Amino acid sequence: MNTKEQIQAEIDNLKEEYLDELYILIKDFAQSKQQPKKTSFMSKLKKIKIDAPKDFAANLDLYVGGEKVVE
């Protein structure tokens, strides 16, 4: 018995009063699996890696102006 048949067997054993609720769950599940998930802005920000000296943020103007050099 494959998974689809197992699911059908469980549905056949379910009381009629629960079928509407089950239908909504199945429909929501199917829609969530069909739509590609959009990557959130915060998720994209978490992926950013900055390789800089420890004092980079405090001395940004010096690095940008060339007065301080990354070693």
Side-chain angles (χ1 to χ4, degrees), residues 7-19:
I7 292 170
Q8 185 61 50
E10 291 296 328
I11 291 171
D12 292 342
N13 292 329
L14 199 61
K15 290 183 180 179
E16 191 75 27
E17 61 194 72
Y18 301 124
L19 291 179

Side-chain angles (χ1 to χ4, degrees), residues 1 6 10 13 18 39 45 47 54:
M1 184 180 276
Q6 289 175 327
E10 291 296 328
N13 292 329
Y18 301 124
T39 306
L45 286 178
K47 292 180 182 178
K54 291 181 181 182

